[in-house]
Amino acid sequence: MVQEAKKLYKTKPLDCWGWAKELRSKHYERIMHAKELGLVLSSGSAHSRVLGAGLENHIHFGGEPYGATLAQFPELATECVEATEARGYARDLCAYMRLYWGSATINKTPWGPFPKPEFVIQSQICDSHSKWHQNSSELMGVPFYTTEIPQFYPAMRPPDKYQVDYAAAQFADMVDWIEKTTKRKWNDQLFADALLRLNRIHVLWARICELNQAVPAPLDIKSMFALYWPSTSGDINEETERFYVTLLDEVRDRVKSGIAALATERSRVLHENQPPWYALWFFREMEKYGCICIGGGYLFFLGGSWELYTDEQGKPAMRIEKTIEERLGRPNTREECMHMLSVLHFGRYRMITSSDAKRAAAVAIARGWKVNGAILMNNRGCEGLSLGIAEARVGLINEGIPTMAYEANMADRREWDEAQVRDRLEAFMESLGLKKLEP
Amino acid sequence: MLDVFPKQFQSRHDYAREWKARHNREVIGYLCTYAPEEIIYAAGILPVRVLGGHEPQDVAERHIPTMYCPFSRDVLAQGLLGRYDYLDGLVDGFTCVHMRNVFGSWTLNIPLKYHHYIYTPSDVRGARVKPYFAVQLGKFKESLEAFTGKAISDSSLDSAIDVYNRSRRLLRHIYELRKAENPPVTGAECIEMVVSSQVMDKAEHNKLLEAALAELQSRRPDRETGIRLMMVGSEVDDTEFVRMVESLGSTVVIDDHCTGSRYFWNEVAPATDRLLAIASRYMDRPPCPQKDVQDTRFRFEHIARLVKEYNVQGALLVQQKFCTPHEFDIPKLKAFLQEQFGIPSLFLEVDITIPLGQFRTRVEAFLEMLQLQAV
């Protein structure tokens, strides 16, 4: 059954789209040529990239974004995960990690040989992080230092001071280790600049996400996955910040002028968890029904700075945090820098590593972004971010919001059952009262 | 005498209910062996480890998808099915994402008077870790005091430490007997002693251990030892499986898992700062793979010592399906055992129910290979 595709809103491509792509290309270009460019190359998780920012000419090769990128190169990705499995590692381990290890093992990336880092640094926010890079360090024969961000429960409340102090002290120890290991001087002012800039970028991204509350939504999730990349994984520099300032202006203009991401928007859903990176068409498929996906907790929190709270009606709600500089002022000493870093880490990651916060965030987004339904991915490739997904679903159901769950793997396409996911999506769209629109 | 341990374990829920009525005190469940039981015990509360039921269930999926370890899902199912309806509270001594998931779902869906989450650091060898963990234990102690309305005195902590150390010492004595050429105790019997200790009042369990130790010292095994095996892995309380292994011409002479030696191996060294002493014990214990995260691994050193001391000939690497921490270590451990000691290993991935027939074939083939090697 199809229905006439009546265009309800004006639409036009994003001006900033190309710039987002360019930022990513430039980032990988610099990583691949780090040696010739005289850059200090570290590796570890993407969120650990700020840990090395006190070094002059530093660049960080983040494992997760690389895994997500590699997942889009089918043949190489398969070769990489199989190389890891041939070394005896289980297929259900983190898919980004298996791609990263495999790529290092066979010394191949989509752009040339694997860029061996000078050292590996890590702040653990999920069980897999430290074990991932313990093994990376052994595999590549490079030094490794790990720190950890304590998790707590319930995550809806702020951390205790002793927890923040513990993480800050570990970060300070890590700086000593970096100086000793690389025989380079750490520049506290450089680090403070990067930290404040990264936080401003996270606030800008949150503002952009907030604008998607508008009806019609100015952005669709597929585009947002490209737009959020610099905030979660890219270089922390002036150009990245400028990109987000410009993007915010553009999205504001779209809202003001009623420019939609989807001209036929009739229904809105949220998506929780990472997407299947190799099958982003999934989000275009729902658009054929006039359904726009406006984002979700993973997309909003990973690159954005939010506060989750309970409103006067006793319901979960979200608001954008002030910048850390507005809250704490500029850090002047290393101790203040590390304290600030610790506060920021706790603030962002507790939202995505706890069932109570995951459930609350899903409900808050459903209310704030006015969704008619929710799609949740049980991600076999990431146990860390799938934690609490089922509880988020229960929370949404309790609020009367229709949900659809599907099982997939964000970066290992061998676990993608396209026919089944397509069937589920079609059934879900129909259950929302939507019919496929004429092309 | 040793029959008492499996009976105690099987009737653990009745025991806890009876204990609660007898003492008119609370019972608190804990999810991982990194939970500092001494402090709960010092508060006059019975700590019991929440374990699975090894029964098929269909209640956990709504809260934890099938991609998480079956043990964690089984544990939550036990709660949802009301098997632990006598619990007054729940504590998690964080180890992995799977059990954190259980804690989150339990607290969101099963009414409790008390719950507390302890973030046991992953980097247990970190320079700052012991004082940090001691502060967390202090917060935990305060929360228990608020819950019971009674202060936990130093003397209560000392008594609890004594009782727990006594349990650890007795189990170490029993494990020492397994070094003998013909061990008087089997691997299955040892697991039964350890898991029953996790669900009983330690003071009462210690009396059972004392009697068992006395009996074992004069026990003459009525079976051949056969191949001396080590069992390494995640939570393993399926003694039917271990009995099957030991019925095929082998004896599990030592283990490294949390329903075995990892649970009790080291004691709290008494000190004026009780909480720091307890914190040190948990940081220094033989680690779960999740707690061995630095570039210099130390878990394998401990396993190497066990291999030598217990004259191990082969290793069973037994892992709960989807157990991420163990999945990280197993390829390296397998290579380590082979390269350092020439010890072959057999990897077995287990679920809440075990296909004994299939596993029997695999274990038989493994043991045959070891027997030929021994000749």
mmCIF file of all heavy atoms in Angstrom, chain A residues 303-340:
data_model
loop_
_atom_site.group_PDB
_atom_site.id
_atom_site.type_symbol
_atom_site.label_atom_id
_atom_site.label_comp_id
_atom_site.label_asym_id
_atom_site.label_seq_id
_atom_site.Cartn_x
_atom_site.Cartn_y
_atom_site.Cartn_z
ATOM 1 N N GLY A 303 28.517 13.156 21.927
ATOM 2 C CA GLY A 303 29.177 14.364 21.427
ATOM 3 C C GLY A 303 28.688 15.631 22.098
ATOM 4 O O GLY A 303 29.119 16.723 21.743
ATOM 5 N N GLY A 304 27.793 15.503 23.059
ATOM 6 C CA GLY A 304 27.181 16.710 23.631
ATOM 7 C C GLY A 304 27.270 16.783 25.141
ATOM 8 O O GLY A 304 27.541 15.794 25.809
ATOM 9 N N SER A 305 27.029 17.973 25.654
ATOM 10 C CA SER A 305 27.155 18.212 27.090
ATOM 11 C C SER A 305 25.763 18.504 27.668
ATOM 12 O O SER A 305 25.214 19.579 27.459
ATOM 13 C CB SER A 305 28.092 19.411 27.296
ATOM 14 O OG SER A 305 28.366 19.588 28.650
ATOM 15 N N TRP A 306 25.216 17.551 28.365
ATOM 16 C CA TRP A 306 23.849 17.635 28.859
ATOM 17 C C TRP A 306 23.762 17.368 30.346
ATOM 18 O O TRP A 306 24.587 16.646 30.899
ATOM 19 C CB TRP A 306 22.972 16.571 28.191
ATOM 20 C CG TRP A 306 22.819 16.698 26.720
ATOM 21 C CD1 TRP A 306 23.614 16.105 25.780
ATOM 22 C CD2 TRP A 306 21.828 17.439 26.002
ATOM 23 N NE1 TRP A 306 23.168 16.432 24.527
ATOM 24 C CE2 TRP A 306 22.069 17.241 24.630
ATOM 25 C CE3 TRP A 306 20.758 18.246 26.395
ATOM 26 C CZ2 TRP A 306 21.295 17.824 23.634
ATOM 27 C CZ3 TRP A 306 19.979 18.828 25.398
ATOM 28 C CH2 TRP A 306 20.242 18.620 24.040
ATOM 29 N N GLU A 307 22.710 17.871 30.921
ATOM 30 C CA GLU A 307 22.382 17.508 32.306
ATOM 31 C C GLU A 307 21.035 16.795 32.271
ATOM 32 O O GLU A 307 20.091 17.263 31.630
ATOM 33 C CB GLU A 307 22.293 18.777 33.155
ATOM 34 C CG GLU A 307 22.133 18.492 34.615
ATOM 35 C CD GLU A 307 21.777 19.757 35.409
ATOM 36 O OE1 GLU A 307 21.933 20.883 34.865
ATOM 37 O OE2 GLU A 307 21.307 19.602 36.532
ATOM 38 N N LEU A 308 20.989 15.673 32.933
ATOM 39 C CA LEU A 308 19.747 14.915 33.019
ATOM 40 C C LEU A 308 19.172 15.191 34.408
ATOM 41 O O LEU A 308 19.891 15.091 35.398
ATOM 42 C CB LEU A 308 20.111 13.438 32.867
ATOM 43 C CG LEU A 308 19.061 12.403 32.503
ATOM 44 C CD1 LEU A 308 18.298 12.783 31.250
ATOM 45 C CD2 LEU A 308 19.737 11.043 32.301
ATOM 46 N N TYR A 309 17.911 15.554 34.473
ATOM 47 C CA TYR A 309 17.341 15.886 35.783
ATOM 48 C C TYR A 309 15.872 15.475 35.816
ATOM 49 O O TYR A 309 15.290 15.081 34.792
ATOM 50 C CB TYR A 309 17.494 17.390 36.068
ATOM 51 C CG TYR A 309 16.665 18.278 35.178
ATOM 52 C CD1 TYR A 309 15.459 18.836 35.633
ATOM 53 C CD2 TYR A 309 17.052 18.553 33.875
ATOM 54 C CE1 TYR A 309 14.685 19.637 34.798
ATOM 55 C CE2 TYR A 309 16.281 19.352 33.036
ATOM 56 C CZ TYR A 309 15.103 19.890 33.509
ATOM 57 O OH TYR A 309 14.342 20.665 32.682
ATOM 58 N N THR A 310 15.282 15.549 36.983
ATOM 59 C CA THR A 310 13.871 15.233 37.121
ATOM 60 C C THR A 310 13.101 16.545 37.231
ATOM 61 O O THR A 310 13.430 17.385 38.070
ATOM 62 C CB THR A 310 13.646 14.365 38.388
ATOM 63 O OG1 THR A 310 14.520 13.234 38.286
ATOM 64 C CG2 THR A 310 12.219 13.891 38.505
ATOM 65 N N ASP A 311 12.112 16.750 36.374
ATOM 66 C CA ASP A 311 11.415 18.030 36.365
ATOM 67 C C ASP A 311 10.332 18.110 37.463
ATOM 68 O O ASP A 311 10.165 17.160 38.248
ATOM 69 C CB ASP A 311 10.843 18.341 34.974
ATOM 70 C CG ASP A 311 9.684 17.418 34.597
ATOM 71 O OD1 ASP A 311 9.180 16.689 35.470
ATOM 72 O OD2 ASP A 311 9.287 17.433 33.418
ATOM 73 N N GLU A 312 9.636 19.224 37.485
ATOM 74 C CA GLU A 312 8.647 19.459 38.561
ATOM 75 C C GLU A 312 7.496 18.450 38.530
ATOM 76 O O GLU A 312 6.836 18.225 39.541
ATOM 77 C CB GLU A 312 8.149 20.911 38.582
ATOM 78 C CG GLU A 312 7.503 21.445 37.324
ATOM 79 C CD GLU A 312 8.509 21.816 36.218
ATOM 80 O OE1 GLU A 312 9.737 21.743 36.445
ATOM 81 O OE2 GLU A 312 8.046 22.154 35.137
ATOM 82 N N GLN A 313 7.294 17.817 37.366
ATOM 83 C CA GLN A 313 6.237 16.782 37.283
ATOM 84 C C GLN A 313 6.762 15.405 37.668
ATOM 85 O O GLN A 313 6.069 14.397 37.542
ATOM 86 C CB GLN A 313 5.683 16.704 35.852
ATOM 87 C CG GLN A 313 4.993 17.968 35.409
ATOM 88 C CD GLN A 313 4.884 18.035 33.878
ATOM 89 O OE1 GLN A 313 5.397 17.196 33.164
ATOM 90 N NE2 GLN A 313 4.212 19.053 33.402
ATOM 91 N N GLY A 314 8.036 15.361 38.066
ATOM 92 C CA GLY A 314 8.642 14.092 38.438
ATOM 93 C C GLY A 314 9.069 13.265 37.245
ATOM 94 O O GLY A 314 9.349 12.071 37.360
ATOM 95 N N LYS A 315 9.153 13.907 36.077
ATOM 96 C CA LYS A 315 9.525 13.195 34.849
ATOM 97 C C LYS A 315 10.976 13.532 34.486
ATOM 98 O O LYS A 315 11.447 14.645 34.744
ATOM 99 C CB LYS A 315 8.628 13.641 33.689
ATOM 100 C CG LYS A 315 7.161 13.329 33.887
ATOM 101 C CD LYS A 315 6.852 11.953 33.357
ATOM 102 C CE LYS A 315 5.356 11.683 33.363
ATOM 103 N NZ LYS A 315 5.058 10.298 33.053
ATOM 104 N N PRO A 316 11.665 12.575 33.832
ATOM 105 C CA PRO A 316 13.034 12.881 33.412
ATOM 106 C C PRO A 316 13.061 13.951 32.321
ATOM 107 O O PRO A 316 12.176 13.958 31.456
ATOM 108 C CB PRO A 316 13.564 11.550 32.871
ATOM 109 C CG PRO A 316 12.499 10.545 33.042
ATOM 110 C CD PRO A 316 11.239 11.225 33.470
ATOM 111 N N ALA A 317 14.051 14.816 32.400
ATOM 112 C CA ALA A 317 14.191 15.878 31.395
ATOM 113 C C ALA A 317 15.677 16.157 31.183
ATOM 114 O O ALA A 317 16.515 15.722 31.982
ATOM 115 C CB ALA A 317 13.468 17.136 31.864
ATOM 116 N N MET A 318 15.985 16.855 30.108
ATOM 117 C CA MET A 318 17.380 17.172 29.790
ATOM 118 C C MET A 318 17.531 18.658 29.544
ATOM 119 O O MET A 318 16.634 19.282 28.988
ATOM 120 C CB MET A 318 17.791 16.451 28.502
ATOM 121 C CG MET A 318 18.085 14.991 28.665
ATOM 122 S SD MET A 318 18.000 14.143 27.089
ATOM 123 C CE MET A 318 19.269 14.951 26.155
ATOM 124 N N ARG A 319 18.667 19.201 29.947
ATOM 125 C CA ARG A 319 18.975 20.582 29.561
ATOM 126 C C ARG A 319 20.474 20.665 29.256
ATOM 127 O O ARG A 319 21.267 19.848 29.751
ATOM 128 C CB ARG A 319 18.563 21.568 30.657
ATOM 129 C CG ARG A 319 19.249 21.375 31.980
ATOM 130 C CD ARG A 319 18.669 22.296 33.055
ATOM 131 N NE ARG A 319 18.975 21.765 34.376
ATOM 132 C CZ ARG A 319 18.154 21.807 35.400
ATOM 133 N NH1 ARG A 319 16.961 22.336 35.297
ATOM 134 N NH2 ARG A 319 18.524 21.320 36.572
ATOM 135 N N ILE A 320 20.811 21.655 28.468
ATOM 136 C CA ILE A 320 22.214 21.808 28.064
ATOM 137 C C ILE A 320 22.999 22.386 29.234
ATOM 138 O O ILE A 320 22.544 23.317 29.901
ATOM 139 C CB ILE A 320 22.321 22.732 26.835
ATOM 140 C CG1 ILE A 320 21.554 22.101 25.669
ATOM 141 C CG2 ILE A 320 23.770 22.991 26.463
ATOM 142 C CD1 ILE A 320 21.300 23.046 24.523
ATOM 143 N N GLU A 321 24.171 21.811 29.456
ATOM 144 C CA GLU A 321 24.995 22.328 30.548
ATOM 145 C C GLU A 321 25.658 23.637 30.127
ATOM 146 O O GLU A 321 25.921 23.854 28.933
ATOM 147 C CB GLU A 321 26.092 21.315 30.890
ATOM 148 C CG GLU A 321 25.586 20.124 31.655
ATOM 149 C CD GLU A 321 26.733 19.275 32.175
ATOM 150 O OE1 GLU A 321 27.665 19.009 31.417
ATOM 151 O OE2 GLU A 321 26.679 18.878 33.345
ATOM 152 N N LYS A 322 25.951 24.451 31.121
ATOM 153 C CA LYS A 322 26.783 25.622 30.834
ATOM 154 C C LYS A 322 28.179 25.103 30.513
ATOM 155 O O LYS A 322 28.533 23.980 30.907
ATOM 156 C CB LYS A 322 26.872 26.506 32.088
ATOM 157 C CG LYS A 322 25.602 27.265 32.378
ATOM 158 C CD LYS A 322 25.838 28.153 33.584
ATOM 159 C CE LYS A 322 24.584 28.936 33.890
ATOM 160 N NZ LYS A 322 24.668 29.610 35.189
ATOM 161 N N THR A 323 28.991 25.924 29.867
ATOM 162 C CA THR A 323 30.364 25.461 29.606
ATOM 163 C C THR A 323 31.082 25.318 30.945
ATOM 164 O O THR A 323 30.723 25.981 31.941
ATOM 165 C CB THR A 323 31.159 26.445 28.720
ATOM 166 O OG1 THR A 323 31.323 27.653 29.447
ATOM 167 C CG2 THR A 323 30.465 26.693 27.395
ATOM 168 N N ILE A 324 32.101 24.508 30.933
ATOM 169 C CA ILE A 324 32.839 24.257 32.175
ATOM 170 C C ILE A 324 33.535 25.546 32.638
ATOM 171 O O ILE A 324 33.703 25.787 33.828
ATOM 172 C CB ILE A 324 33.847 23.088 31.996
ATOM 173 C CG1 ILE A 324 34.390 22.588 33.325
ATOM 174 C CG2 ILE A 324 34.987 23.449 31.065
ATOM 175 C CD1 ILE A 324 33.563 21.602 34.028
ATOM 176 N N GLU A 325 33.907 26.378 31.672
ATOM 177 C CA GLU A 325 34.559 27.647 32.020
ATOM 178 C C GLU A 325 33.563 28.559 32.738
ATOM 179 O O GLU A 325 33.908 29.243 33.689
ATOM 180 C CB GLU A 325 35.105 28.317 30.757
ATOM 181 C CG GLU A 325 36.154 29.363 31.059
ATOM 182 C CD GLU A 325 36.904 29.820 29.820
ATOM 183 O OE1 GLU A 325 36.582 29.356 28.710
ATOM 184 O OE2 GLU A 325 37.800 30.667 29.979
ATOM 185 N N GLU A 326 32.312 28.531 32.283
ATOM 186 C CA GLU A 326 31.281 29.335 32.969
ATOM 187 C C GLU A 326 31.048 28.795 34.380
ATOM 188 O O GLU A 326 30.753 29.536 35.302
ATOM 189 C CB GLU A 326 29.964 29.275 32.187
ATOM 190 C CG GLU A 326 29.962 30.134 30.942
ATOM 191 C CD GLU A 326 28.788 29.837 30.006
ATOM 192 O OE1 GLU A 326 28.269 28.706 30.004
ATOM 193 O OE2 GLU A 326 28.419 30.729 29.257
ATOM 194 N N ARG A 327 31.190 27.479 34.525
ATOM 195 C CA ARG A 327 30.911 26.890 35.844
ATOM 196 C C ARG A 327 32.102 26.988 36.792
ATOM 197 O O ARG A 327 31.951 27.286 37.959
ATOM 198 C CB ARG A 327 30.531 25.407 35.676
ATOM 199 C CG ARG A 327 29.122 25.216 35.135
ATOM 200 C CD ARG A 327 28.779 23.761 35.073
ATOM 201 N NE ARG A 327 29.278 23.112 33.887
ATOM 202 C CZ ARG A 327 29.561 21.823 33.771
ATOM 203 N NH1 ARG A 327 29.422 21.030 34.815
ATOM 204 N NH2 ARG A 327 29.983 21.311 32.647
ATOM 205 N N LEU A 328 33.304 26.725 36.266
ATOM 206 C CA LEU A 328 34.467 26.643 37.164
ATOM 207 C C LEU A 328 35.542 27.686 36.894
ATOM 208 O O LEU A 328 36.521 27.765 37.638
ATOM 209 C CB LEU A 328 35.107 25.247 37.062
ATOM 210 C CG LEU A 328 34.224 24.035 37.393
ATOM 211 C CD1 LEU A 328 35.010 22.740 37.214
ATOM 212 C CD2 LEU A 328 33.705 24.103 38.822
ATOM 213 N N GLY A 329 35.410 28.440 35.811
ATOM 214 C CA GLY A 329 36.469 29.389 35.452
ATOM 215 C C GLY A 329 37.586 28.685 34.707
ATOM 216 O O GLY A 329 37.560 27.464 34.531
ATOM 217 N N ARG A 330 38.577 29.464 34.275
ATOM 218 C CA ARG A 330 39.688 28.864 33.521
ATOM 219 C C ARG A 330 40.663 28.193 34.484
ATOM 220 O O ARG A 330 41.021 28.769 35.510
ATOM 221 C CB ARG A 330 40.408 29.961 32.721
ATOM 222 C CG ARG A 330 41.441 29.394 31.779
ATOM 223 C CD ARG A 330 42.259 30.442 31.056
ATOM 224 N NE ARG A 330 43.449 29.783 30.530
ATOM 225 C CZ ARG A 330 43.476 29.157 29.352
ATOM 226 N NH1 ARG A 330 42.419 29.142 28.598
ATOM 227 N NH2 ARG A 330 44.583 28.543 28.941
ATOM 228 N N PRO A 331 41.102 26.975 34.183
ATOM 229 C CA PRO A 331 42.062 26.333 35.084
ATOM 230 C C PRO A 331 43.446 26.948 34.929
ATOM 231 O O PRO A 331 43.874 27.229 33.806
ATOM 232 C CB PRO A 331 42.052 24.867 34.613
ATOM 233 C CG PRO A 331 41.635 24.918 33.186
ATOM 234 C CD PRO A 331 40.755 26.117 33.042
ATOM 235 N N ASN A 332 44.106 27.168 36.038
ATOM 236 C CA ASN A 332 45.417 27.804 35.972
ATOM 237 C C ASN A 332 46.559 26.856 36.296
ATOM 238 O O ASN A 332 47.701 27.125 35.956
ATOM 239 C CB ASN A 332 45.458 29.000 36.949
ATOM 240 C CG ASN A 332 44.525 30.099 36.483
ATOM 241 O OD1 ASN A 332 44.571 30.497 35.322
ATOM 242 N ND2 ASN A 332 43.638 30.555 37.356
ATOM 243 N N THR A 333 46.246 25.786 36.966
ATOM 244 C CA THR A 333 47.315 24.860 37.336
ATOM 245 C C THR A 333 46.994 23.491 36.756
ATOM 246 O O THR A 333 45.867 23.231 36.331
ATOM 247 C CB THR A 333 47.392 24.721 38.864
ATOM 248 O OG1 THR A 333 46.144 24.150 39.305
ATOM 249 C CG2 THR A 333 47.604 26.049 39.552
ATOM 250 N N ARG A 334 47.991 22.629 36.800
ATOM 251 C CA ARG A 334 47.758 21.267 36.304
ATOM 252 C C ARG A 334 46.678 20.573 37.134
ATOM 253 O O ARG A 334 45.809 19.887 36.609
ATOM 254 C CB ARG A 334 49.055 20.459 36.358
ATOM 255 C CG ARG A 334 48.857 19.053 35.817
ATOM 256 C CD ARG A 334 50.145 18.315 35.645
ATOM 257 N NE ARG A 334 51.029 19.011 34.705
ATOM 258 C CZ ARG A 334 52.285 18.655 34.467
ATOM 259 N NH1 ARG A 334 52.793 17.602 35.076
ATOM 260 N NH2 ARG A 334 53.041 19.328 33.610
ATOM 261 N N GLU A 335 46.748 20.817 38.417
ATOM 262 C CA GLU A 335 45.760 20.204 39.314
ATOM 263 C C GLU A 335 44.335 20.626 38.922
ATOM 264 O O GLU A 335 43.426 19.796 38.846
ATOM 265 C CB GLU A 335 46.061 20.650 40.749
ATOM 266 C CG GLU A 335 45.515 19.730 41.790
ATOM 267 C CD GLU A 335 45.760 20.288 43.193
ATOM 268 O OE1 GLU A 335 46.570 21.225 43.337
ATOM 269 O OE2 GLU A 335 45.109 19.789 44.111
ATOM 270 N N GLU A 336 44.191 21.921 38.638
ATOM 271 C CA GLU A 336 42.856 22.415 38.237
ATOM 272 C C GLU A 336 42.426 21.838 36.888
ATOM 273 O O GLU A 336 41.256 21.530 36.678
ATOM 274 C CB GLU A 336 42.864 23.953 38.181
ATOM 275 C CG GLU A 336 42.861 24.591 39.559
ATOM 276 C CD GLU A 336 43.055 26.106 39.535
ATOM 277 O OE1 GLU A 336 43.112 26.717 38.440
ATOM 278 O OE2 GLU A 336 43.172 26.674 40.633
ATOM 279 N N CYS A 337 43.416 21.703 35.990
ATOM 280 C CA CYS A 337 43.105 21.109 34.671
ATOM 281 C C CYS A 337 42.589 19.685 34.846
ATOM 282 O O CYS A 337 41.594 19.291 34.234
ATOM 283 C CB CYS A 337 44.363 21.052 33.810
ATOM 284 S SG CYS A 337 44.860 22.610 33.107
ATOM 285 N N MET A 338 43.285 18.911 35.667
ATOM 286 C CA MET A 338 42.931 17.497 35.814
ATOM 287 C C MET A 338 41.591 17.341 36.549
ATOM 288 O O MET A 338 40.822 16.443 36.263
ATOM 289 C CB MET A 338 44.045 16.730 36.543
ATOM 290 C CG MET A 338 45.353 16.724 35.797
ATOM 291 S SD MET A 338 45.155 16.123 34.103
ATOM 292 C CE MET A 338 46.342 17.124 33.218
ATOM 293 N N HIS A 339 41.348 18.241 37.463
ATOM 294 C CA HIS A 339 40.065 18.235 38.161
ATOM 295 C C HIS A 339 38.942 18.508 37.160
ATOM 296 O O HIS A 339 37.896 17.847 37.151
ATOM 297 C CB HIS A 339 40.082 19.269 39.288
ATOM 298 C CG HIS A 339 38.773 19.377 39.998
ATOM 299 N ND1 HIS A 339 37.878 20.385 39.739
ATOM 300 C CD2 HIS A 339 38.184 18.579 40.920
ATOM 301 C CE1 HIS A 339 36.788 20.208 40.483
ATOM 302 N NE2 HIS A 339 36.956 19.116 41.210
ATOM 303 N N MET A 340 39.177 19.476 36.296
ATOM 304 C CA MET A 340 38.171 19.836 35.299
ATOM 305 C C MET A 340 37.927 18.671 34.331
ATOM 306 O O MET A 340 36.793 18.342 33.984
ATOM 307 C CB MET A 340 38.659 21.073 34.537
ATOM 308 C CG MET A 340 37.636 21.689 33.646
ATOM 309 S SD MET A 340 38.253 23.226 32.933
ATOM 310 C CE MET A 340 37.677 24.435 34.112
#
